[in-house]
Amino acid sequence: MIDSACYPRLSRIQTPADLRQFDESELEAIAGELRAYLIESVGKSGGHFAAGLGVIELTVALHYLFNTPVDQLVWDVGHQTYPHKILTGRRDSIHTVKQKDGVAPFPKREESEYDTFGVGHSSTSISAALGMAIARQRQGDNRKAVAVIGDGAMTAGMAFEALAHAGGMDEEPDVLVILNDNNMSISEAVGGLTKMLGRATASRTLNALREGGKKILGDKRHSPPARFVKRWEEQWKGMFVPSTAFEQMGFHYTGPIDGHDLPLLLSTLKRLKDARGPQLLHIMTTKGKGYEPAEGDQIGYHAVGPFDPSKGLPSKSAPKKPTYTDIFSDWLCDAAAAEPQLMGITPAMREGSGLVRFSKEYPERYFDVAIAEQHAVTLAAGMATQGAKPVVAIYSTFLQRAYDQLVHDVATQNLDVLFAIDRAGVVGPDGATHAGNLDLSYLRCVPNMVVMAPGDEAECRQMLTTGLHYKGPAAVRYPRGTGPGVAVGNDLSTLEIGKAQLRLPGSRIALLAFGATVPAAEQVGRELGLSVVNMRFIKPLDKAMLLELARSHEGFVTIEDNVVAGGAGSGVSELLNAEAVTMPVLHLGLPDSYQHHASREDLLAEAGIDAAGIRAAILKRWPALSDGASSLSAVG
């Protein structure tokens, strides 16, 4: 529970209605308490940190001035929403964030009526808020819709699609977009938009002239003189403030203003609250504001584990085992040294995808395209047409956003693009929006694709090299975290395409394990005396080995950390059916539902694809295995 002595005002706020009972003169003190409580809480639990510190004043102002949840706030991405969660009924449980059965790390509609739109991927807020505004206006409902989007999220094409739609509508929607500009995504924001915003300076005189002119000339929708002056204003303002792009898209632009100046923020939002038509407020903030270590290391403090706020983050010690991301990072640099045409591409995930070292050693071959997954994939396709060897480093869940480009621009043309897919399968604490549970299903149906999943660290390196040298599109998908601990060399050897590996010879039942499930399958195989195959390739499957095993075994068990529907196991059954082979096949994998946030270990156990779950499922299907019966065909 919150300490009322340390937080005399915040302890009295359970909901925004409580916040609105305070006099406006007390809001700065409330913002100070909220910032201190966020530092204390995340210090205990870990979680997304620096982004929330940057929007303390904005969060207080929005919930104070707008009648939430009647008026609806749509937060982009969600890294910045811990202060929002604290003010909307989750103050005393915020320390459970990311934990099983605890507070979700991102806005989640099922969790609170104040979470108006579920997010996790960036750049969706403007589209969602616009949809809300349109639906309400058609119903004669004058409630407000507000989208809060960061400058990093504004680099995605989807955000501009929404801006173009909103600003071009004949019946202008009443929607407010707040551009939270801190020059950061997870790491530094990049691209032309970032440069444009960096040149922005406040123009209060111009804003005052515009407001005075509106009173005299009327609304631009109904007054020809006002429309003329509006066009003149756009050209004049472009000489001083680079807001012309937003204005010409049909938005009334205000700012930039200091997003930590609470009185200024309140006075500006009061004016915009009842303004008609599409409005864009540009605020300048500092990621990590109010906590000096986070201000000094905005990347390191983006998401943190538990720490002592008085000391800052503990010094990082070398992990006992390298993560799969580490394996990719080292491989990329080694492969670049051997292959001068290799290019590394990331959609704003330099740190998460392991491209920091590559960006320093090969800056001329490193491309951070900002939060633009679609562009990243087609950029790689264009490079490949000219003989380059592009490697797209991307999270499984983010590749979903570029699926059309993968199919239409890469695979249809059979181009040499390697997809290094991190965070595949069960991811854990970040919840459903970040789970990589679908990639085997959506990749294996694409013609020309080679799809691989390593059973250990050394195999991951081999597969990456295999994919790089394959003449066509290839994907290597690997999980978050560490593997079983197999030593990794520094060579660049390859694997034979479509060749599986018999890891453990046994009898009766063959366990066909894909990727990260191989170690658990081996454990069960040893316990029950079953054959275990590291399948390695999801596409193409090792047809020869599967048919040989079908002749010598009484049943198959396919195991994958992907949804069962359309996954690797489905491919095995399709192959058997095509070859007119009839035998029992048990498919184990992830459920046909979205997994909640919990540890990776908890989620694997819930899905029944840890060692205990695999063993239980096999014995349920073939109980004779537990009592030594000689034949399983009767129960298969």
Side-chain angles (χ1 to χ4, degrees):
M1 295 290 291
I2 191 169
D3 185 343
S4 60
C6 294
Y7 306 101
R9 298 170 185 84
L10 188 61
S11 62
R12 292 155 55 193
I13 300 172
Q14 285 284 358
T15 69
D18 300 325
L19 172 66
R20 292 190 281 269
Q21 297 303 309
F22 285 86
D23 188 80
E24 188 173 312
S25 63
E26 295 190 80
L27 294 185
E28 289 192 270
I30 291 172
E33 291 183 23
L34 179 58
R35 178 169 277 113
Y37 187 68
L38 179 66
I39 293 170
E40 176 190 322
S41 301
V42 177
K44 293 177 180 177
S45 65
H48 297 116
F49 185 53
L53 290 173
V55 294
I56 294 290
E57 289 79 12
L58 177 63
T59 305
V60 170
L62 288 173
H63 281 297
Y64 188 76
L65 293 177
F66 288 87
N67 185 27
T68 56
V70 177
D71 294 329
Q72 294 191 302
L73 306 182
V74 183
W75 297 90
D76 216 290
V77 182
H79 298 146
Q80 58 192 335
T81 56
Y82 289 18
H84 158 81
K85 287 174 180 275
I86 291 170
L87 292 180
T88 55
R90 289 160 283 185
R91 183 195 64 203
D92 296 334
S93 57
I94 194 67
H95 64 280
T96 67
V97 70
K98 287 194 169 189
Q99 299 171 20
K100 185 178 180 181
D101 301 323
V103 173
F106 301 104
K108 188 174 183 180
R109 282 168 54 84
E110 305 95 298
E111 184 176 280
S112 170
E113 63 181 333
Y114 294 92
D115 292 0
T116 62
F117 197 78
V119 296
H121 294 184
S122 82
S123 317
T124 61
S125 61
I126 305 175
S127 297
L130 176 59
M132 293 173 183
I134 291 172
R136 286 176 179 171
Q137 285 180 232
R138 295 293 185 272
Q139 299 163 4
D141 188 336
N142 62 359
R143 289 182 292 167
K144 307 300 179 184
V146 182
V148 182
I149 184 169
D151 55 320
M154 191 67 92
T155 61
M158 184 175 177
F160 279 88
E161 292 170 13
L163 289 172
H165 181 204
M169 293 180 65
D170 291 334
E171 184 180 350
E172 292 188 321
D174 294 332
V175 62
L176 171 60
V177 175
I178 299 176
L179 172 56
N180 175 28
D181 182 0
N182 59 19
N183 200 36
M184 293 292 293
S185 183
I186 292 178
S187 52
E188 298 89 350
V190 298
L193 175 67
T194 298
K195 292 181 180 179
M196 183 193 81
L197 295 177
R199 293 192 296 266
T201 55
S203 181
R204 296 182 185 177
T205 300
L206 186 60
N207 285 336
L209 285 172
R210 174 175 53 207
E211 292 308 307
K214 283 174 64 178
K215 292 177 182 178
I216 297 171
L217 297 170
D219 191 283
K220 71 183 178 71
R221 292 176 289 186
H222 307 296
S223 167
R227 288 196 295 269
F228 170 79
V229 172
K230 178 68 177 175
R231 294 296 300 274
W232 168 85
E233 174 199 328
E234 290 172 358
Q235 301 305 316
W236 177 256
K237 191 170 184 180
M239 298 172 61
F240 300 98
V241 183
S243 63
T244 310
F246 297 120
E247 298 276 9
Q248 290 184 341
M249 294 178 81
F251 272 75
H252 176 110
Y253 174 92
T254 301
I257 67 171
D258 182 354
H260 300 300
D261 185 337
L262 189 52
L264 175 60
L265 197 57
L266 288 165
S267 64
T268 305
L269 284 170
K270 284 177 184 177
R271 176 168 56 82
L272 295 177
K273 182 172 178 286
D274 296 316
R276 299 295 305 279
Q279 306 287 326
L280 190 141
L281 171 61
H282 182 181
I283 69 172
M284 309 294 291
T285 63
T286 299
K287 190 173 182 179
K289 178 70 174 179
Y291 185 65
E292 187 175 349
E295 289 189 39
D297 182 11
Q298 296 175 341
I299 298 173
Y301 280 86
H302 171 75
V304 298
F307 69 100
D308 182 345
S310 66
K311 298 178 181 178
L313 293 179
S315 299
K316 292 183 178 180
S317 57
K320 295 180 180 179
K321 295 189 293 185
T323 65
Y324 278 101
T325 305
D326 295 331
I327 302 301
F328 168 74
S329 177
D330 292 340
W331 170 85
L332 187 65
C333 291
D334 293 346
E339 174 51 77
Q341 294 302 314
L342 184 149
M343 307 289 181
I345 302 172
T346 177
M349 293 300 297
R350 179 184 64 193
E351 284 75 22
S353 292
L355 278 82
V356 172
R357 178 185 161 197
F358 180 82
S359 69
K360 295 176 180 178
E361 294 185 13
Y362 297 95
E364 73 286 354
R365 293 198 259 165
Y366 166 72
F367 301 90
D368 184 343
V369 303
I371 303 177
E373 295 89 352
Q374 293 170 300
H375 167 59
V377 173
T378 303
L379 175 72
M383 289 178 175
T385 66
Q386 304 305 306
K389 302 291 290 188
V391 179
V392 179
I394 191 167
Y395 285 12
S396 171
T397 184
F398 298 155
L399 184 57
Q400 294 165 186
R401 309 187 86 180
Y403 189 60
D404 179 66
Q405 287 68 32
L406 183 151
V407 173
H408 184 274
D409 298 337
V410 175
T412 299
Q413 302 183 88
N414 201 30
L415 294 173
D416 289 353
V417 177
L418 173 60
F419 295 91
I421 305 174
D422 204 336
R423 270 64 166 183
V426 173
V427 174
D430 282 338
T433 58
H434 283 57
N437 295 3
L438 309 176
D439 54 58
L440 295 187
S441 299
Y442 71 67
L443 288 173
R444 61 173 288 264
C445 63
V446 179
N448 295 329
M449 287 289 300
V450 165
V451 185
M452 297 169 271
D456 58 50
E457 298 89 336
E459 201 165 72
C460 183
R461 184 178 173 97
Q462 288 180 297
M463 287 181 176
L464 289 164
T465 308
T466 302
L468 183 68
H469 293 293
Y470 175 69
K471 300 300 182 183
V476 180
R477 58 98 73 173
Y478 42 90
R480 181 180 187 176
T482 59
V486 174
V488 180
N490 56 9
D491 65 319
L492 294 171
S493 60
T494 61
L495 297 173
E496 181 182 346
I497 298 289
K499 184 65 176 176
Q501 176 194 39
L502 181 63
R503 280 283 183 101
L504 188 67
S507 62
R508 298 187 175 184
I509 305 298
L511 309 187
L512 311 178
F514 294 86
T517 67
V518 170
E522 283 191 284
Q523 179 181 332
V524 174
R526 292 191 193 95
E527 292 173 359
L528 300 179
L530 310 178
S531 296
V532 178
V533 180
N534 171 19
M535 292 299 296
R536 288 180 168 170
F537 291 85
I538 293 85
K539 185 176 184 178
L541 291 168
D542 190 336
K543 177 179 176 180
M545 179 176 285
L546 288 175
L547 293 180
E548 179 183 345
L549 291 169
R551 288 190 290 269
S552 58
H553 290 73
E554 299 172 47
F556 281 171
V557 179
T558 66
I559 312 167
E560 58 191 300
D561 57 339
N562 185 84
V563 293
V564 172
S570 295
V572 171
S573 289
E574 290 163 12
L575 185 149
L576 294 176
N577 183 62
E579 297 296 319
V581 175
T582 302
M583 65 184 305
V585 180
L586 172 62
H587 297 301
L588 302 181
L590 300 179
D592 184 24
S593 60
Y594 290 104
Q595 292 183 299
H596 52 81
H597 54 281
S599 71
R600 190 167 186 274
E601 292 72 24
D602 283 342
L603 294 176
L604 288 170
E606 285 184 15
I609 51 174
D610 62 347
I614 294 168
R615 188 178 192 279
I618 291 171
L619 292 179
K620 180 179 180 181
R621 181 68 180 272
W622 292 287
L625 283 174
S626 61
D627 59 20
S630 60
S631 175
L632 303 174
S633 56
V635 293

